Amino acid sequence: MSVGFLNPLLLWGLLAAALPLVVHLFFRRRPRPTPFPALDFVLRARKENAQRLRLKKLLLFTARTLLLAAAALALARPRAEQPASAAATPGGGPLATVLVLDASGSMSYRLGGDTLFSRARQQALDALTSLPGEAPVSALVCDGRPPAAPAPAFDRVAVRRTLDEAAPAFGHADLTSCVAAAARALAEAKGQEQLGKQIVVVTDLTAAAWRLDVPPPEVPGPKGPVRPHVEIVDAARGADLPNAAVTALGAEPDPAVGPRGYKLTAAVSVTGAEPAKDLALSLRVGGEARPAIRAFVDVPANATARKTLSHAFPAGGPATLSAAVPGDALALDDERVLTVTVPREIRALVVDGAPSPVKYRDEAYFVESALGSPASPVRSTLVDGEALREADLSRFDVVFLLNVRGVAGRTADLVRFVEGGGGLFLSMGDQVDPDLYARELGPLLPLPLHVVKTAAERGQAEAQAARLARVDEAHPALAVFTGDAREGLQGARFYRYMLTRPAPKGEAPVVLAAFDDGAPALVEARRGRGRVLLFTSTADRDWNDWPIRTSFLPALQRFAAWLSGGLEERRDVPTVVGTPRALRLGEGRELRALVGPDGKERSRRELEAAGLAPSEGGAALTFTPRLPGLWQVKVAERGVERLEPALAFAVVPDPRESDTRRLLPAELTAWFGGEAHARVDGHAAGGGATEGVPLWSWLLAAAVLFLLAEGFFLG
């Protein structure tokens, strides 16, 4: 038998019991004696009553102290508690027992100044103490790892050590699997076939931890499978567990905000009977302590609401975001982290093969307008064909050759530029000579050029103009042209285009789009570390009307991003706590350490001891993080150790642990086979016997008696 408190923090009120003593000491005076013969008679009479008055004051002082102490204890709501398993011994004999301790993320919920996990661990230790000495026992900590329990034995020290060393986890724990593992442990015990079987589960009763759509656990026995007796101890003692959480955070580029603008969507969930009105939502960028954006969101009870915010990053590159709600009893899910790679600025050299003083007739007018729009990450430099001779290609990421007659002797430079990682876009026109291109740009062309085909004359027989009949919408450069956006691409009319010859043997160019007669319209090829895109029509309106279509602007911007490698930059998906994470370090890098959300650096040796290992095929390292938040990667490259921002990754808690709605005891006992096989202990709402006996009513009665006694002594 032990005494617990529902409101242990109110025990500080016991300090009020010292008030009578403090008041007594503060007002006690020691008068200096002054001889006065007239009062000698009175003093002698007073001395006769001194013993009686001292006793009365002592009783009055005691009554006041006990009155305040009883009131303070009653406010703390004490109750006499009895360990669960001691009260349940079906059959009257010793039971082979497995203690299952819930260590899932929701067990870090703080209730009455303590976490549910601390309560649960103490309750499990009490249950262990209450078991008779002839009962074998083992323990299983259910923390999200594959559950496995040893067979019950008589080594109580080992079981106690297991419970003492248990720590709360941050992931999801499947209690159904843990109870099944406990049943298997009971079945594997040798020489205990004749003993009764018992499983004691100490948990917070959250519904997300249980799967009641599978058969309940059974223990094979000499007479067939039997259902074990299951004792479930409610660590929350029937209390509701209201919770507000950020359960999702996503980021999508938003050109309306700017070239580095993002639309951020946060999902906020509320569990509990009360809705959340004007719940504060803060968005932080990087390591800044001050929120970049503050917003408010209304969330109905037991529901999820989404809030969309916009943010423009000042520079490209890796960035970290976090969305947070005010802290509550479950701190695990109050903040969610996300990493994004903001598009960096793309430098493009646009070579105009047919300049014109009339803007809309200029070969590069539409291309430069598309690349230079306010929301574009591309910064272009326009030159004519002659100026290409002096251009410094190393200053650019992409080169656009628009209907140029030749490359002015820069063939070798262009080949070196592309093979070194640059991008090259080629468009056709009247200036293009297929034979000259074959001599100057042959090593770079995705397909050899052949002849110009006229599908229809402009203004005559418009219906005969060619259209794009086949578009590879799965390709990153064309992925935006789905749904209604597809019409903007397929509605363009092409009057002329350059036919191509088959690719030489050994090369495999990719046709991203083709005309309705099957002729390639857009062809991609890799050359070294770079890419080449061949567009077989013009980039102005001479051979088609695509430049005045809505699809032209986003297509040219995505072509520039694809050729520069911008569309290949990773869109990181956060890792859920307890699931493996693949670390792809890149060529020439070696992993030295990981820095967790707690700021602690874990060396390579420590990580390997914790499970770090090469993935299948050896292309990456696999690690299972157990803490939510931002993880940073320290690598060694060319002998220099540094944190690589591009490799940082976010780990998020399992959203199932944010759902703190609880099971009704009757649901759980029914799944285990009814009250004959299971009961829920410590649940005030019913459904099982309650072991705790409330004591605060007796304390209040005692306080009333002390109050009456104080009045009696004052009278």
Side-chain angles (χ1 to χ4, degrees):
M1 180 77 71
S2 61
V3 176
F5 297 90
L6 293 182
N7 301 315
L9 288 180
L10 294 181
L11 289 175
W12 286 99
L14 282 174
L15 295 177
L19 284 177
L21 177 61
V22 173
V23 171
H24 170 73
L25 295 176
F26 184 78
F27 289 102
R28 190 178 63 175
R29 294 185 299 175
R30 295 181 179 276
R32 185 173 58 183
T34 302
F36 191 39
L39 294 178
D40 287 347
F41 175 78
V42 177
L43 291 176
R44 283 196 299 270
R46 187 175 179 178
K47 288 180 180 177
E48 295 176 356
N49 296 325
Q51 294 295 330
R52 184 173 58 83
L53 292 174
R54 188 176 294 109
L55 177 61
K56 185 177 179 180
K57 288 182 179 178
L58 178 61
L59 292 174
L60 180 62
F61 175 79
T62 304
R64 287 173 174 171
T65 301
L66 292 176
L67 168 63
L68 293 174
L73 284 173
L75 290 175
R77 304 184 69 185
R79 53 192 288 147
E81 297 175 347
Q82 187 170 8
S85 58
T89 54
L95 300 174
T97 302
V98 177
L99 302 173
V100 179
L101 175 60
D102 184 357
S104 60
S106 62
M107 292 294 286
S108 60
Y109 195 99
R110 301 193 72 86
L111 188 64
D114 206 354
T115 65
L116 294 180
F117 179 81
S118 297
R119 291 183 175 201
R121 179 165 53 188
Q122 185 57 50
Q123 289 163 337
L125 290 169
D126 291 343
L128 174 64
T129 303
S130 68
L131 291 174
E134 64 273 22
V137 62
S138 68
L140 167 62
V141 179
C142 191
D143 58 2
R145 294 179 173 87
F154 297 95
D155 188 354
R156 299 293 179 93
V157 175
V159 175
R160 181 173 293 276
R161 187 185 308 115
T162 299
L163 296 175
D164 285 337
E165 294 177 353
F170 296 92
H172 175 70
D174 183 355
L175 278 174
T176 301
S177 298
C178 292
V179 171
R184 290 194 297 272
L186 290 171
E188 293 168 356
K190 304 298 182 184
Q192 301 175 12
E193 291 78 6
Q194 303 304 320
L195 296 180
K197 311 298 182 187
Q198 177 178 243
I199 300 174
V200 178
V201 185
V202 191
T203 177
D204 56 4
L205 277 183
T206 52
W210 295 89
R211 291 180 289 116
L212 304 186
D213 56 345
V214 301
E218 293 182 333
V219 180
K223 298 180 180 179
V226 296
R227 289 187 176 183
H229 177 76
V230 180
E231 193 78 20
I232 300 167
V233 182
D234 180 10
R237 294 298 182 188
D240 291 330
L241 305 175
N243 181 41
V246 182
T247 52
L249 178 62
E252 291 291 336
D254 186 2
V257 185
R260 290 179 288 277
Y262 272 77
K263 180 174 65 178
L264 312 170
T265 303
V268 180
S269 300
V270 166
T271 302
E274 299 294 330
K277 186 172 179 56
D278 292 335
L279 182 65
L281 177 66
S282 302
L283 177 73
R284 288 181 171 81
V285 179
E288 296 292 333
R290 185 176 181 180
I293 302 176
R294 293 180 187 271
F296 297 93
V297 58
D298 294 338
V299 189
N302 293 321
T304 299
R306 298 185 182 279
K307 187 73 175 181
T308 300
L309 308 169
S310 294
H311 178 73
F313 290 90
T320 305
L321 298 166
S322 68
V325 295
D328 57 14
L330 185 59
L332 169 72
D333 50 18
D334 292 338
E335 184 175 21
R336 200 174 184 91
V337 180
L338 179 70
T339 58
V340 297
T341 301
V342 182
R344 57 186 175 85
E345 185 174 277
I346 302 170
R347 301 161 299 174
L349 176 65
V350 180
V351 183
D352 190 344
S356 171
V358 181
K359 282 191 174 180
Y360 69 90
R361 291 183 177 176
D362 189 281
E363 187 72 30
Y365 171 70
F366 293 100
V367 172
E368 194 181 20
S369 299
L371 298 182
S373 68
S376 172
V378 184
R379 296 294 172 264
S380 61
T381 301
L382 179 64
V383 298
D384 58 22
E386 290 299 323
L388 174 62
R389 190 188 309 275
E390 305 297 332
D392 181 5
L393 300 183
S394 64
R395 295 176 49 241
F396 301 97
D397 303 305
V398 185
V399 174
F400 285 76
L401 298 181
L402 309 179
N403 189 22
V404 297
R405 185 181 300 276
V407 294
R410 302 296 302 273
T411 299
D413 295 334
L414 281 171
V415 171
R416 190 162 45 250
F417 169 75
V418 173
E419 292 183 344
L424 178 63
F425 180 88
L426 298 165
S427 67
M428 302 292 101
D430 296 333
Q431 305 281 351
V432 175
D433 179 354
D435 294 334
L436 180 61
Y437 265 51
R439 292 194 297 273
E440 293 193 341
L441 295 173
L444 297 176
L445 285 174
L447 289 175
L449 305 180
H450 186 28
V451 295
V452 176
K453 176 181 178 178
T454 302
E457 294 294 339
R458 184 182 293 274
Q460 298 178 359
E462 293 280 335
Q464 297 180 7
R467 296 175 184 270
L468 296 177
R470 182 167 58 84
V471 176
D472 183 3
E473 297 170 355
H475 192 277
L478 299 172
V480 296
F481 299 106
T482 58
D484 295 339
R486 185 186 299 115
E487 177 59 26
L489 194 63
Q490 296 182 336
R493 289 167 295 188
F494 295 85
Y495 308 102
R496 291 185 182 181
Y497 46 89
M498 184 74 72
L499 296 178
T500 58
R501 299 178 186 275
K505 289 185 178 179
E507 296 189 8
V510 180
V511 178
L512 305 184
F515 297 111
D516 44 14
D517 64 352
L522 187 65
V523 189
E524 177 199 8
R526 274 194 171 274
R527 296 291 184 263
R529 294 166 52 196
R531 297 188 179 96
V532 180
L533 276 180
L534 170 64
F535 178 50
T536 58
S537 191
T538 58
D540 65 357
R541 296 184 60 196
D542 284 352
W543 289 8
N544 60 74
D545 66 355
W546 189 31
I548 61 172
R549 300 282 179 174
T550 56
S551 59
F552 186 78
L553 183 146
L556 266 293
Q557 291 181 3
R558 292 189 71 83
F559 291 164
W562 173 250
L563 289 171
S564 67
L567 292 184
E568 274 191 334
E569 290 173 340
R570 65 191 182 116
R571 180 169 297 179
D572 188 64
V573 178
T575 301
V576 177
V577 167
T579 59
R581 168 82 188 192
L583 303 174
R584 303 182 188 281
L585 304 178
E587 189 176 351
R589 292 173 178 167
E590 182 183 350
L591 177 67
R592 288 301 172 88
L594 292 180
V595 181
D598 53 0
K600 180 182 176 183
E601 182 173 311
R602 296 155 175 83
S603 66
R604 176 74 179 257
R605 180 176 299 177
E606 292 174 317
L607 294 171
E608 289 175 345
L612 177 74
S615 63
E616 188 175 352
L621 295 172
T622 302
F623 175 67
T624 302
R626 303 284 177 188
L627 280 179
L630 180 67
W631 286 75
Q632 301 180 75
V633 182
K634 177 178 281 188
V635 298
E637 186 174 19
R638 298 177 182 175
V640 179
E641 290 188 5
R642 60 183 173 85
L643 291 174
E644 175 52 62
L647 296 177
F649 59 93
V651 178
V652 297
D654 195 309
R656 289 175 290 185
E657 294 301 310
S658 300
D659 186 355
T660 52
R661 286 176 290 185
R662 291 155 51 82
L663 279 174
L664 292 176
E667 296 179 80
L668 206 49
T669 53
W671 181 66
F672 280 114
E675 295 183 357
H677 299 279
R679 72 171 186 168
V680 177
D681 169 67
H683 195 280
T690 301
E691 299 294 332
V693 178
L695 300 177
W696 55 86
S697 57
W698 294 97
L699 287 170
L700 287 177
V704 172
L705 290 177
F706 293 138
L707 180 62
L708 293 175
E710 194 249 3
F712 174 77
F713 293 128
L714 278 177

